[in-house]
Amino acid sequence: MGLVASFFGQLCGKEKKPEEERHLRANDRSFNLTYQYANNAIKTSKYNILTFLPRNLFEQFQRLANAYFLFLMILQVIPQVSSLSWFTTAVPLMFVLSITAVKDANDDINRHKSDNQVNNRIVNVLVDGKLKNEKWMNVQVGDIIKLENNQFVTADLLLLSSSEPLNLVYVETAELDGETNLKVKQALTVTGEMGDNIDALAGFNGEVRCEPPNNRLDKFTGTLSLNGQTAALDNDKVLLRGCTLRNTEWCFGLVIFGGPDTKLMQNSGKTTFKRTSIDHLMNVLVLCIFGFLASMCTFLAIGNAIWESREGSMFVAFLPLEKGVDSSLSSFLSFWSYIIVLNTLVPISLYVSVEIIRLGNSFFIDWDRKMYYPKSDTPAQARTTTLNEELGQIKYIFSDKTGTLTQNIMTFNKCSISGKAYGELFDFTGHRVEITEKTEKVDFSWNQLADPKFVFHDHRLLETVKEGNPDAQAFFRLLALCHTVMPDEKKEGELYYQAQSPDEGALVTAARNFGFVFRSRTPESITVVEMGKQVIYELLAVLDFNNVRKRMSVIVRSPEGKLTLFCKGADTIIFERLHPSCKKLVEVTNTHLSDYAGEGLRTLALAYKDLDESFMDEWKQRHHEASTALVEREEKLDELYEEIEKDLLLLGATAVEDKLQDGVPQTIEQLAKADIKIWVLTGDKQETAENIGYSCNMLREEMKEIFIVAANTAEGVKEELQNARRKMSSSSADKPSVIKARAGLFWLQKTETVQDEEVDGEYGLVINGHSLAFALEKDLQLELLRTACMCQTVICCRVTPLQKAQVVQLVKKYKQAVTLAIGDGANDVSMIKAAHIGVGISGQEGMQAVLSSDFSFAQFRYLQRLLLVHGRWSYLRMCKFLQYFFYKNFTFTFVHFWYAFFCGFSAQTVYDEWFITLYNLMYTALPVLGLSIFDQDVNDRWSFQYPQLYTPGQLNQYFSKKAFVRCMMKSCYSSLILFFIPWAAMHDTVRDDGKDIADYQSFALLAQTCLLIVMSIQLSLDTHYWTAVNQFFVWGSLAGYFAITFTMYSNGMFLIFTSAFPFIGTARNSLNQPNVWLTIFLTSLLCILPVVAFRFILIQLRPTINDKVRHKMRKEALPAPTKPVRVKRISTRRSGYAFSHSQGYGDLVTSRKFLLKIPVRTRPALFTETDSPLAQNQPQHYRTITEEPEGSQSP
Amino acid sequence: MVKEEQELANRPDNTAFTQQRLPAWQPMLSAGIVIPGFVIIGLAFIGIGVALFVTSHSIQVLELDYTGVENTEPCYRCSDPSSKNCVCTLEFSIDSLFEGPVFFYYGLTNYFQNYRKYGASRDDNQLSGDLDYFKSPGNDCAPYQYNSNNKPIVPCGAIANSMFNDTFKLYQIIRGSKKLVPFDGKGIAWWTDYNIKYRNPSVTPLKNAFNDTVKPLFWSKPAYELDPTDPANNGFINQDFLVWMRRAALPDFRKLYRRITEGDYAKGLPAGNYSLEIAYNYPVMSFDGRKKVVLSNVSWMGGKNEFLGIAYLVIGSLCVVMSIVMLIVYAKFKFPEED
């Protein structure tokens, strides 16, 4: 009943005018009801029991193929044109419709279930002054509800009060935008005063006027009127449905939007329906087939007219012609009759079979253990089951960096302390030992405060520190002091760090484990536990990090009163500022740094300097003046910093590994071999991105040049792009060569394709966000595309989500190539949706990327299996299927065409009607499904061994319009054989007992048996991989054909259904004739042998890569997979400096506010829920698109 | 252990099926299979072809067109549609023994029994003896469903209506006198047609079943009087009717009329002169059709058919030629071995 009510409710709702403003009063249901706002029940299901059949059928008949068959069925009941019984179309149509209906019903039942589950969640609602448990669906706009910690937010709420000080609440918005860090919301003071006073809340009668329901997650405007006073409401005071309450004991909220009006539901609009290029091709082909069908029927209708006037009219004595039917009317009728007879040209089962095949191949992806990640227990998932074959055609991959290529984990890996390198293990002969999971770890258990997750392998370092080496101690002291990390010690000894960048977190954690534990900080002091002893340093200044300075320093006073400046930063920057006495040390450290950079580690150089008191006093004075200056404050500060950060003494260098996910470089190498281009689109800084480029082998030392586009004007960008292009190819024309073509249904779509240009040598391109913004403008787009496509590797850094999508669309538009986007975070959603195929990395931050993706798995390296194995097979199978399917249906149909010349163009079918009905549905359905689900040309290991096997897919080589035409020609040949050989063999002969054999029924049986056997052999020729299932399907179908035929032609069937089975006895009487079998044998071989010979000669003359690998596979065993050796690259003085840090919190660290936990408006994402400080590496730019600059509302 | 298993709840099953590792046979079109295959098939075809060709040659066929298009032909006068009960005689001679059993066919050309509406114009229910359909024949039979007085036609439909009604008598001329060659009309239709598909209503006498119905318009006798000599050969199970109702697939066809298996002619027709007496009733001139009689014997491969033998020979030779071509291609190009 509820469903019916809501259905009518929806009907009524539709008639209503669009809402212009929402107006509601708290605790006043009757007032709010006058507006008829939607309550909190949601309905994502499409049907109910009553509406299912009509609505589902209506939807299904909107499909072209289904509508066509309905039309055919209508034609068939018109006796004048009905050349086939109604069941020949009705049975397959019913079958198709019911399969789809069952699938739809199942989907909808699941939606009903999840709707019910959500709608029946319980929440505390304030009703009549009392808190009552209510179901979510019964919550009304204007109700006040109470939420508790870790509960889902019920509806879009205005926050009234909370348990936390200052009426704060913390929410996790992962379900909404994918960000896992906590966000802070704060109630108005007016409402916050009510606290959890039920009476006060029950008496609350504020009126809210606000915007109508919309889908903007980052914006809310409204006012609250209470007791004559009006307060402004913004996004900060609203809790959105889909969030989860965290770290907050309870809170009260006023329902503003319920159910379908909530921003979550408004956002879950229809996702764009992705279609594969094969789909588009198929539509075009089906259209062509329609045209072809019409012309064939026209031809036959004309033939009929001629025949009627020349022969039929003479023959009229014996023909049951109706009165008034002359040759022109008869030809008109025969046109429609032939439309019915030849309808198998447009195969209804095509669409269904394609769906089944895709579903099957999707299951194989879901089931693949080699794409299952045991650590997080996540299997791969094909979320969209209609895109499989496109996976075999990918030309461009757009990848996110953080969390996709990298694990988003920074580990302190190596360091160099006063010229001595630590972090590598050597055996007694002095050779480097590979560090694996089994390598013994350094035991930090002596240190009570050590982070148990920290792993280090080199025992010497700890020994050095424990021995009391002053350099080593200073090194870690620096790391413990020089940073802006916030400590969080909820329980004694359980220390968590909130780091602004994961690099910093890694460094501070390293210091912590080596005995220099950063414990707590105040604006003026830093408490460190040094080798078990608590030491409090006075913090005098923080010289913050920024992009230009590339370094940060702190000035501290030790308890002994010693003043020290600790500085860490990019090696090049630090080396410039060192005291000349460090020269020798610099040389040694430099070699270490080069090694680190070569391994793709992120490096920082550390230095310190002792200061004397008088200088410091004076400097501090000037610092104070500069920092309060009104003009040129930044410049003045910079100058001051510059002045103090010189003559530093080098301590050493750190190397932090931005841990790549397992197998990333190998995967990238494999994909590159498969001629897939990978572009990295990351929100990270240029240095970081470049660094990762090197460590995952995309940028290589042996590349001729790596272009960096970082101009800040449109002209600059253009110039840099053009210069790069000219360097790569001096002959490159100024104008790109664009091929304009038309494609798509009715050739309405215009396409422009920019052609690839020849380049010798490998190049890389790095472009930053600013330049990208210019480059994506209309006039520079093509310039960017041309240059980028000439490079082996493209890295775009500091990219916004929108730009990610734009880049994808640019390539999609001008390259006509299949694109794939892979990412893990909410910032990748736009690109995942824009690309032909979106892949989400699951099991990491948020689910947003996964939810909008088409395929998901846990590790980047599974991408190669998805593409090179599953994608390639899916594409191969789909193409084989289509070729075979068209061949089988064309051949079937063309035989009717030839017969028309012998039966007076009367639309007489060659085959038995039952055969026509069952041909696609039963006799040939399973074998071809078996082929297109199980076939593999070479197995997965060979696919990996030869990634080149992937390239035919990119070039559409397995199925295209050309292949379709070839298919038709082959069908034409086969159908000629299939008709004329039986014709010639039978037209003038008799059985071995002298009785009839050239009768219609025997001929039909002969023709259909030949057809079916030829189709089975043809299928066998196409099958490369004969599993038991294939054998069973092929032999089973043939056996089934004979069994069904003998049954249908049996006495019993005739006696029961007299008029339905007129072929009684035909099978018995003709299949015992030797000449019938000789004819079948001849026909089959004549159809097949030329194909075999042609294929054989083609393999000899022009073998494809598949043939070569298959040939190789037969001859030799698969070479054992060579273990990828991580080659140590020869590094030529490249700095490994990279830091995922934009602007430090220097100001915040020294600001009192921050430490009092008063929310900092500009950085609500500061507090994270994740327990590891390392897990936080939200690209900083993300906020720039989702949040409008907010007015400062701090109390 | 238990805990570990629970943690891996989502781990896919490790079966050959789910991991796509099903054991499989992976054949290839390699030279070692294709070339010998073609040779073997070629030789087999040539063998079969020779056998077929020889067999086909041993079959004797005698075709006599009696339409009477030219005025020199004996049946010319009968071909005029206005002549009723016309009988003409065709003389022919056989040089050597026409080995038995000899089958006597009538043939029609340019006759479209495979025309869709013609073929559909019948009522299988009526023909299986269902009396309900005697009173109201199926609509497919129109316009041979009811006669002008709205009486149901039994058997209804165009096929039955157009039943071939020429009759033949064959005489051997021995020293000027005619000796009737006995015809055997039993069992010339399919067993299934005679026993299952076509049945007379179980009414005795058969005539009563046909009360209130009329015979097809073109028929001279009602169905229950088709064979006055044999009461069991009447109604829907009359052999000639059954043969006619099994409609031909192609516009030129022949149908079995009688077998010559009895008496002096059991071994075949001896050499000599023969005379064929034809009761010429069936008009074919209007649509440029031809009527003929065919005398033929059969072998294990059925009637005479040169095509199959020749086709097997040609294709067998082509296969051999093809295998040589493929061998040359293979030897010359082989399989490029480079990666």
Side-chain angles (χ1 to χ4, degrees), chain A residues 308 367 369 377 877 899 902 906 908 985 988 994 998-1000 1025-1026 1062 1064 1069 1074 1078 1110 1112, chain B residues 7 10-12 19-20 22 25 27-28 105 114-116 190 192 196-197 246-247 249 254 300 305 312:
Chain A
E308 288 289 345
W367 287 334
R369 262 165 100 95
D377 190 29
R877 289 165 182 172
Y899 191 48
F902 293 84
S906 60
Q908 174 65 51
D988 196 25
D999 65 296
Y1000 168 74
Y1025 194 78
W1026 282 89
I1064 171 185
N1069 281 305
L1078 284 171
R1110 275 167 63 79
K1112 220 178 167 72
Chain B
E7 275 173 8
N10 293 324
R11 188 190 202 116
Q19 303 309 310
Q20 307 200 61
L22 285 175
W25 173 52
M28 255 190 91
Y105 300 92
N114 59 5
Y115 192 84
R116 174 168 58 87
W190 285 14
T192 43
I196 314 288
K197 195 171 178 185
R246 182 149 286 280
R247 69 184 176 114
R254 58 172 148 140
W300 60 270
N305 188 320
Y312 267 90

Side-chain angles (χ1 to χ4, degrees), chain A residues 416-429:
Chain A
S416 158
I417 300 174
S418 58
K420 217 169 159 204
Y422 298 94
E424 289 196 11
L425 296 183
F426 298 93
D427 59 14
F428 53 89
T429 57

Side-chain angles (χ1 to χ4, degrees), chain A residues 322-465:
Chain A
E322 277 117 278
K323 284 183 195 99
V325 177
D326 59 358
S327 65
S328 57
L329 179 59
S330 146
S331 124
F332 174 77
L333 292 178
S334 94
F335 175 83
W336 294 109
S337 301
Y338 268 113
I339 290 273
I340 297 171
V341 171
L342 304 181
N343 78 69
T344 38
L345 215 51
V346 186
I348 186 172
S349 43
L350 177 70
Y351 289 95
V352 183
S353 311
V354 164
E355 294 301 308
I356 293 174
I357 292 163
R358 285 174 175 161
L359 196 68
N361 284 315
S362 300
F363 274 122
F364 281 130
I365 292 174
D366 293 348
W367 287 334
D368 196 336
R369 262 165 100 95
K370 289 186 181 133
M371 298 206 298
Y372 165 79
Y373 191 54
K375 277 189 192 149
S376 62
D377 190 29
T378 8
Q381 210 188 349
R383 298 175 44 84
T384 308
T385 54
T386 53
L387 300 174
N388 304 54
E389 75 272 1
E390 194 112 282
L391 288 174
Q393 301 186 278
I394 306 288
K395 184 75 192 163
Y396 289 89
I397 292 179
F398 300 91
S399 172
D400 179 35
K401 188 203 80 108
T402 315
T404 306
L405 298 176
T406 64
Q407 294 179 5
N408 203 6
I409 292 177
M410 302 284 172
T411 53
F412 176 79
N413 222 354
K414 283 171 191 173
C415 63
S416 158
I417 300 174
S418 58
K420 217 169 159 204
Y422 298 94
E424 289 196 11
L425 296 183
F426 298 93
D427 59 14
F428 53 89
T429 57
H431 285 105
R432 239 179 85 176
V433 179
E434 185 91 14
I435 290 175
T436 62
E437 296 216 336
K438 286 179 191 129
T439 313
E440 196 196 340
K441 293 166 191 160
V442 176
D443 178 24
F444 292 108
S445 58
W446 57 275
N447 182 351
Q448 296 275 309
L449 290 166
D451 183 345
K453 283 186 207 126
F454 183 81
V455 173
F456 202 75
H457 296 282
D458 192 350
H459 295 265
R460 294 172 303 142
L461 182 55
L462 184 60
E463 281 153 25
T464 314
V465 177

